[in-house]
């Protein structure tokens, strides 16, 4: 294994130290327990947006801490959920009194730990809400996940809900918007190569020299199928079709009832895309795939959307939710109404995403 | 070979098509001959900044076209110099009358072709100047290059000189500033893996599973030496020491004498770094190395600079001058005075670099 690391046990700490040294104007790092938070937190009167998950998906989440996006991010070890104490202490650090929204990718460990953290924070008088991101159309009930996995829509949700919080949305409004973004967003990924988790020291999976994994997860977990390498157009077409053909998706998730201090089951249905929709198209590198290849994919995404009378009105192209050095890419389409577009366009100032400032 | 491409002969065109579709607000693409240019070019009264070189180093150069950086970029085939007609026609398209500065990375083909383009443009009445970037301390007179290679300082020069042009610098002032940035900047790179040029279909070089190439070029051309994989701290220390210990470097370059319409030899000396310097530190991914690893490197860069009483006052961390999917990184240190910092901080709006707008 060849990686630019020092001690195997210290990989995440070293990265966090580098971030703290590089971006003192934007963020601070707390090391025990580990969380990244806005340099100016808590921001008076503002709902705090917090996310987190295993490390290895950089710049998500720590790289999205800053004005207009996240107030806090809780990094686990690589591809490992952070712990409830990280989430709780982060919430305490960033809560201004207006409450904390946890944006939670749908992986069993993340979901469970953010629930524990929400209960603890709530018991301490911090208004909290957990909203799940479960946008991966590739598989259902896979390794690490009951239901669909949370992938690319997470980045878009953090940007959009972060901007709404900045604009004065209260906790319920932020939660509603985050639910909407999740319901409007669908993603699918593919892998060309595996990545190597430092602690494992060997590829997470074996992929022959002429095969790809369609529907791969961001931890290298299995997707839909292995297939022979195909052209960028063929691969993009398969993925966009999966996303655009995806039927209504109904499931029940647990949300926190702040009035009664209990978890309640909420049934959510994501409606399929339809002609006339406007979308934000997000073409993401899994890490090792160069941006040049993403542009070829993007051109095809636009063509395929237009053929269905779906208009791509914004885009994000680059490595934003990665799997270490994995080669491959994911496509996310997010149906965007005026509210979503307004907050997408709003200023953001983070290490990983910056505009308008 | 597994890459997200369609036709081998069409790789660069497809990428350019994607860029044109993705960023119509920022840039346009001309296909025959190929160049990328600002959507609002020519910008009245402004010196036009043009660069170019082989493709495969994205986002450089096309991804740096936009307000505050490049007016035009000429992409060659992958790792292949663009042709004089691309450069000349791009210059015609972006020249407002205030002239064109060609920022040229020191590779034999690039230098020769930009010289031909300058002569042609000059004969057509366009004021031009070619400024060379030759900042790679690793090797001298290597494959493709007489003298030092042009690498990371190119990105910083395009940002800084682009901002100066935006602020109203005339052609001579832009050329002077570009010369200063080049003289103040030093870089070194290393490779963990090779990349695969699509047309070749196999790795550019072979690197054993436990070895790295120190001083590698951005085309995978040989560096100083092969060595066993070491820790991030050890590798970073070797590279920063090479940069900071680099002695005064004197060489003669050819520059265009606009009054007499002839090439003149200009002798340039780069002074070494010294205690008290302020620097911009640029830690660059060669493509396949994740940003998380760059942060560990960055923390060490700062520590090493501080030990010599050199202060890192700005940074850029990410994949900006890449070698396709190569894993590895480069470090660039640029001694920064007030003029350089002012233009570094100025707004920029390109696909690859954006702030202040």
């Amino acid at each position: 294994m060849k990686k630019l690391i020092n001690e195997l046990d210290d990989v995440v700490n070293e990265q966090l130290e580098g971030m703290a040294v590089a971006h003192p104007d934007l963020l601070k790092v707390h090391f025990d327990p580990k969380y990244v938070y806005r340099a100016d937190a808590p921001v008076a009167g503002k709902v705090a947006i917090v996310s987190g998950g295993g490390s290895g998906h950089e710049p998500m989440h720590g790289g999205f801490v800053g004005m207009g996006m996240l107030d806090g991010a809780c990094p686990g070890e690589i591809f490992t959920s952070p712990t409830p104490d990280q989430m709780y202490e982060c919430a305490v650090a960033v809560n201004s009194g207006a409450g904390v929204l946890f944006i939670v990718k749908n992986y069993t460990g993340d979901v469970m730990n953010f629930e524990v953290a929400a209960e603890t924070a709530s018991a301490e008088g911090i208004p909290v809400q957990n909203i799940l991101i479960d946008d991966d159309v590739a598989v259902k009930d896979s390794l690490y996940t009951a239901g669909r996995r949370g992938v690319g829509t997470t980045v878009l949700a953090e940007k959009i809900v972060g901007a709404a919080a900045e604009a004065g949305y209260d906790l319920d409004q932020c939660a509603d918007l985050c639910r909407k973004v999740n319901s409007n967003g669908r993603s699918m990924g593919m892998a060309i190569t595996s990545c190597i988790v430092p602690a494992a020291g060997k590829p997470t999976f074996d992929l022959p020299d002429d095969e790809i994994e369609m529907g791969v997860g961001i931890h290298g977990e299995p997707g839909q199928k292995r297939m022979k390498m195909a052209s960028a157009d063929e691969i993009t077409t398969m993925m966009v079709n999966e996303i655009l053909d995806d039927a209504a998706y109904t499931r029940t998730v647990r949300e926190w009832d702040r009035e009664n201090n209990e978890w309640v089951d909420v049934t959510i249905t994501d409606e399929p895309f339809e002609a006339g929709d406007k979308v934000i198209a997000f073409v993401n590198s899994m890490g090792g795939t160069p941006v040049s290849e993403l542009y070829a994919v993007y051109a095809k995404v636009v063509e395929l959307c237009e053929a269905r009378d779906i208009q791509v009105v914004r885009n994000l192209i680059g490595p934003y939710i990665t799997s270490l050095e994995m080669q491959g890419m994911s496509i996310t389409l997010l149906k965007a109404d005026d509210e979503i577009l307004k907050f997408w366009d709003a200023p953001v100032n983070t290490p990983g995403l910056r505009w308008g400032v």
Side-chain angles (χ1 to χ4, degrees), chain A:
Chain A
M1 176 181 64
K2 294 187 288 186
K3 287 176 181 283
L4 292 167
I5 59 178
N6 292 300
E7 297 301 324
L8 266 185
D9 293 343
D10 220 28
V11 169
V12 174
N13 274 332
E14 287 191 343
Q15 172 198 342
L16 294 173
E17 282 162 14
M19 289 194 70
V21 173
H23 308 295
D25 50 324
L26 299 178
L27 55 84
K28 294 179 183 175
V29 177
H30 189 276
F31 281 94
D32 189 19
K34 284 195 264 281
Y35 57 86
V36 181
Y37 61 114
R38 268 177 72 160
D40 57 349
V43 181
K46 193 183 85 71
V47 173
I49 312 296
V50 170
S51 192
S55 293
H57 308 299
E58 289 72 28
M60 189 184 79
H61 299 273
F64 296 143
V65 170
M67 194 281 294
M69 213 160 166
L70 295 180
D71 294 82
C74 307
E77 292 305 308
I78 291 182
F79 294 178
T80 303
S81 295
T83 52
D85 64 316
Q86 292 177 261
M87 300 157 176
Y88 165 70
E89 291 204 24
C90 181
V92 170
V94 300
N95 176 44
S96 71
V100 178
L101 182 76
F102 288 142
I103 299 182
V104 184
K105 300 196 304 301
N106 190 33
Y107 298 96
T108 307
D110 290 9
V111 172
M112 196 171 61
N113 291 352
F114 268 114
E115 285 186 358
V116 173
E119 289 172 18
T120 311
S122 191
E124 297 294 325
I126 300 176
V128 290
Q129 191 53 270
N130 293 16
I131 298 294
L132 222 58
I133 305 292
D134 58 347
D135 61 318
D136 188 341
V137 302
V139 292
K140 200 167 166 297
D141 300 331
S142 72
L143 195 59
Y144 311 131
T145 325
R148 289 180 168 180
R149 302 177 294 212
V151 288
T153 299
T154 314
V155 176
L156 309 182
E158 292 177 2
K159 168 67 186 81
I160 292 159
V161 180
E166 209 72 52
Y169 271 35
D170 69 20
L171 182 54
D172 284 332
Q173 290 172 311
C174 285
D176 284 345
L177 178 59
C178 195
R179 251 182 237 108
K180 179 166 84 174
V181 170
N182 183 45
S183 278
N184 282 8
R186 284 174 166 85
S187 301
M188 186 163 162
M190 56 81 62
I192 292 174
T193 64
S194 178
C195 53
I196 298 178
V197 175
K202 60 184 180 57
T204 303
F205 57 97
D206 291 315
L207 203 49
D209 280 347
D210 61 347
E211 290 187 13
I212 58 176
E213 175 84 26
M214 290 296 281
V216 75
I218 57 172
H219 312 95
E221 64 268 39
Q224 292 178 334
K225 61 176 176 182
R226 293 282 167 92
M227 56 174 265
K228 292 288 177 194
M229 184 68 202
S231 72
D233 281 355
E234 289 167 325
I235 292 167
T236 304
T237 302
M238 290 175 64
M239 291 167 68
V240 170
N241 284 346
E242 290 265 359
I243 291 170
L244 293 180
D245 291 339
D246 191 52
Y249 173 54
T250 300
R251 72 286 192 195
T252 299
V253 300
R254 274 156 56 100
E255 290 194 9
W256 185 245
D257 178 341
R258 294 206 299 283
E259 279 189 20
N260 301 303
N261 281 327
E262 61 182 15
W263 293 100
V264 292
D265 285 342
V266 178
T267 298
I268 297 174
T269 297
D270 299 346
E271 298 301 332
F273 290 95
E274 55 186 20
D277 282 348
K278 293 179 179 179
V279 298
I280 299 173
F282 170 28
V283 180
N284 172 64
S285 170
M286 291 293 192
T289 283
V291 67
S292 50
E293 296 180 25
L294 302 183
Y295 275 111
V297 169
Y298 178 73
K300 189 70 183 176
V301 169
V302 171
E303 180 192 318
L304 292 162
C305 285
E306 284 178 351
R308 296 188 187 218
D309 193 25
I310 290 171
Q311 191 188 353
V312 178
V313 293
R314 300 288 188 282
N315 62 65
L316 183 67
I317 302 166
Y320 294 102
I321 168 173
T322 60
S323 303
L324 297 167
E325 74 284 1
M326 182 191 285
Q327 289 177 34
M329 59 96 180
S330 64
I331 297 168
T332 299
L333 296 177
L334 172 67
K335 179 175 166 173
D337 59 14
D338 290 345
E339 182 189 36
I340 286 174
L341 287 177
K342 178 176 77 174
F343 291 125
W344 177 255
D345 291 341
V348 61
N349 192 9
T350 72
L353 216 57
R354 179 174 177 180
W355 56 70
V357 285

